[in-house]
């Protein structure tokens, strides 16, 4: 016998599924679920509350992401609101394996694992997302968005983005 | 929203939070002035990125100050509708960009102080401040590394870059002392809400000594400290900065993007 909850998708699950489809406007291959920006969905008396957390303090994408989540809920016919939470602080360790694979396929080197200071400032060994070579070098610590640095591959000579550890 | 200045109810916690928000917004604004003018494209983006981090930190802090004050103000009111004497940022941060060496030395001195400060603030008994700190300390760690690398390159570079870096260091050094003064915040330190700034001086001194040594720069001998920022007594530069930063909201109250 199948319990009712396995058959009837809960409001929370439907809301999560809708919000999880929202992509990062600056890295469009990643959903906010892949990134770990989507933290939780709770049911409220009037619908749902979706909790998101910023990657960087000044991430310019957060405002757009909040609007996109509200629109996704509206399209799914779910009344709800979005709330930004700061704790616990986001780290690149929350990025899903699926997210890392999608980043690599998109041409962005995924962040190293381990958000401790050793990962932040340890020996940077970043493989080229295009040819896989380890013979790479940093060009600029601060790249096209807060979360990325600009690197170059010495083997295939291509520049590429690296999603920084955070 | 009106064009007239607001009056903030300055409880110790509101004032403490406002001061750090003022630090972040003022330095963030200074860095934004480099946009399109930096020596290289990569550095233009680096300075803008660091400015963006600081504006993000300022927004979190102003929002929390507004929430704590509970006086009907929001983050924009606090940033745009206070006058220079109400701003209580460190004097170092309002100093003009000068040449690239001045900007880098200013960034280095602030980052060397604030990176361990934010790390200490992660243990604050105030959960919101601890949460803001957990993000800010990673950001400032990148800022410190970037500024230190540049300072080493400038100091240990050409005769001209060395001369300019040393002049910038000598010029800005008097603003260091203010960062470590407990001022009127001893009560918040005792309550575990604020990090004790004096306890962070050894870490700052060690960072500075190591980087200046690699940069072949001479540590300034004078320990004389210019004070006043935390009491709202500013150099002439802050008024000009605020005139530009606040102009739009003062002229078009409540204007939004």
């Amino acid at each position: 016998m199948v319990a009712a909850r396995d058959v009837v998708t809960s409001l929370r699950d439907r809301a999560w599924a809708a919000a999880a489809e929202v992509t990062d406007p600056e890295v469009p291959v990643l959903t906010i679920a892949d990134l770990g920006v989507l933290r939780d969905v709770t049911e409220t008396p009037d619908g749902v509350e979706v909790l998101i957390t910023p990657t960087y303090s000044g991430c310019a994408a957060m405002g757009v992401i909040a609007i996109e989540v509200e629109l996704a809920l509206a399209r799914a016919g779910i009344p709800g609101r979005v709330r930004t939470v700061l704790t616990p602080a986001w780290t690149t360790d929350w990025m899903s394996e699926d997210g890392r694979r999608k980043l690599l396929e998109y041409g962005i080197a995924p962040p190293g694992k381990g958000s401790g200071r050793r990962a932040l400032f340890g020996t940077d060994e970043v493989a080229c997302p295009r040819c896989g070579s380890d013979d790479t070098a940093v060009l600029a610590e601060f790249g096209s968005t807060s979360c990325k640095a600009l690197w170059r591959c010495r083997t295939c000579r291509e520049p590429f983005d690296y999603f920084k550890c955070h | 929203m009106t064009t007239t200045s607001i009056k903030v109810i300055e409880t110790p916690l509101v004032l403490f939070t406002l001061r750090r928000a003022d630090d972040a917004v003022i330095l963030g604004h200074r860095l934004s002035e480099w946009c399109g003018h930096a020596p290289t494209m990569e550095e233009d983006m680096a300075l803008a990125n660091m400015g963006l981090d600081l504006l993000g930190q300022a927004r979190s802090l102003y929002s929390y100050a507004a929430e704590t004050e509970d006086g009907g103000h929001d983050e924009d009111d606090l940033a745009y509708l206070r006058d220079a004497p109400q701003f209580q940022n460190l004097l170092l941060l309002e100093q003009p960009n000068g040449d690239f060496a001045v900007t880098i030395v200013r960034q280095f001195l602030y980052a060397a102080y604030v990176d361990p400060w934010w790390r200490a603030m992660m243990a604050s008994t105030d959960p919101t401040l601890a949460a803001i700190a957990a993000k800010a300390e990673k950001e400032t760690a990148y800022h410190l590394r970037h500024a230190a690398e540049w300072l080493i390159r400038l100091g240990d570079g050409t005769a001209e870059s060395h001369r300019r870096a040393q002049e910038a260091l000598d010029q800005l050094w008097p603003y260091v002392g203010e960062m470590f003064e407990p001022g009127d915040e001893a009560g918040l330190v005792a309550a575990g809400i604020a990090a004790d700034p004096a306890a962070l001086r050894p870490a700052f001194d060690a960072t500075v000594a190591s980087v200046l040594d690699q940069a072949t720069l001479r540590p300034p001998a004078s320990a004389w400290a210019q004070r006043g920022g935390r009491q709202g007594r500013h150099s002439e530069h802050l008024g000009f900065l605020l005139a530009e930063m606040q102009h739009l909201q003062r002229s078009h109250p409540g204007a939004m993007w």
Side-chain angles (χ1 to χ4, degrees):
Chain A
M1 186 180 156
V2 178
R5 47 184 271 203
D6 290 336
V7 190
V8 181
T9 312
S10 72
L11 179 65
R12 180 187 178 281
D13 289 350
R14 286 197 296 124
W16 179 282
E21 292 292 309
V22 172
T23 55
D24 181 333
E26 289 173 340
V27 191
V29 288
L30 290 185
T31 69
I32 59 172
D34 291 331
L35 268 169
V37 161
L38 177 60
R39 296 313 301 154
D40 202 3
V41 176
T42 54
E43 293 191 20
T44 64
D46 344 309
V48 295
E49 184 174 65
V50 176
L51 302 184
I52 58 174
T53 191
T55 52
Y56 281 65
S57 299
C59 180
M62 286 309 287
V64 174
I65 287 174
I67 292 168
E68 291 288 336
V69 170
E70 284 172 4
L71 288 173
L73 291 175
R75 279 195 299 271
I78 303 167
R81 59 174 182 272
V82 178
R83 188 157 64 90
T84 301
V85 292
L86 292 176
T87 183
W90 179 84
T91 143
T92 39
D93 284 352
W94 292 352
M95 191 181 293
S96 66
E97 284 305 321
D98 207 29
R100 285 168 198 275
R101 182 185 54 75
K102 285 195 254 180
L103 262 188
L104 195 61
E105 287 169 4
Y106 190 61
I108 300 175
K113 288 214 176 169
S115 62
R117 300 190 74 74
R118 187 176 298 166
L120 281 175
F121 295 113
T123 322
D124 286 322
E125 284 182 6
V126 179
C128 172
R130 296 178 191 277
C131 74
S133 167
D134 287 329
D135 190 12
T136 58
V138 67
L139 281 178
E141 285 278 7
F142 296 87
S144 55
T145 65
S146 299
C147 53
K148 285 178 283 183
L150 186 62
W151 282 59
R152 174 175 54 194
C153 177
R154 291 201 183 97
T155 304
C156 72
R157 313 298 291 172
E158 286 289 329
F160 63 91
D161 274 335
Y162 165 55
F163 203 109
K164 293 193 275 191
C165 288
H166 201 63
Chain B
M1 201 163 172
T2 65
T3 54
T4 51
S5 298
I6 56 168
K7 177 91 181 95
V8 178
I9 306 157
E10 294 177 342
T11 65
L13 181 57
V14 169
L15 194 54
F16 173 84
T17 310
L18 268 183
R19 284 168 172 162
R20 275 70 197 182
D22 291 345
D23 284 351
V25 85
I26 296 300
L27 184 57
H29 186 86
R30 279 288 183 229
L31 291 180
S32 79
E33 294 171 355
W34 273 104
C35 199
H37 301 278
T40 65
M41 173 73 88
E42 288 80 4
E43 193 52 26
D44 209 285
M45 289 168 67
L47 293 170
N49 262 279
M50 293 192 289
L52 188 61
D53 286 340
L54 289 162
L55 290 186
Q57 293 166 16
R59 289 191 61 186
S60 295
L61 290 162
Y62 279 134
S63 295
Y64 184 51
E67 183 190 321
T68 310
E69 185 208 11
D70 199 18
H73 301 129
D74 64 15
E75 52 176 313
D76 287 338
D77 297 331
L78 294 174
Y80 295 129
L81 298 180
R82 288 182 305 136
D83 285 323
Q86 293 171 279
F87 271 75
Q88 301 205 4
N89 55 281
L90 295 165
L91 294 173
L92 172 71
L93 308 177
E94 71 200 39
Q95 298 310 304
N97 287 338
D99 61 15
F100 186 61
V102 171
T103 289
I104 287 299
V105 169
R106 186 184 61 197
Q107 200 69 27
F108 170 70
L109 293 175
Y110 177 66
Y113 147 76
V114 86
D115 183 50
W117 185 82
W118 278 125
R119 202 143 55 247
M121 283 299 294
M122 290 169 69
S124 171
T125 53
D126 183 301
T128 304
L129 290 175
I132 295 170
K135 299 210 78 58
E137 77 92 20
K138 288 183 188 171
E139 291 155 4
T140 53
Y142 278 108
H143 300 185
L144 176 58
R145 179 163 75 169
H146 187 74
E149 284 177 355
W150 261 117
L151 190 55
I152 292 166
R153 212 175 309 168
L154 294 176
D156 195 21
T158 65
E160 176 71 1
S161 70
H162 178 89
R163 180 184 67 77
R164 285 176 182 248
Q166 186 67 56
E167 280 180 13
L169 186 63
D170 294 343
Q171 177 192 327
L172 295 177
W173 191 255
Y175 299 111
V176 165
E178 187 180 38
M179 300 193 285
F180 298 98
E181 291 183 348
D184 53 11
E185 294 174 346
L188 292 174
V189 172
I193 292 170
D196 179 6
L200 299 167
R201 184 72 198 243
F204 172 85
D205 286 339
T207 303
V208 168
S210 161
V211 172
L212 292 191
D213 183 53
Q214 293 174 74
T216 71
L217 292 168
R218 185 184 69 255
S222 172
W224 180 78
Q226 175 68 55
R227 301 176 173 83
R230 292 289 191 234
Q231 291 81 42
R233 295 194 309 275
H234 292 279
S235 57
E236 67 181 297
H237 310 297
L238 183 66
F240 291 97
L241 185 155
L242 292 182
E244 182 175 319
M245 189 179 91
Q246 298 182 336
H247 174 266
L248 192 109
Q249 284 300 327
R250 298 274 188 172
S251 305
H252 303 279
M256 293 183 52
W257 290 106

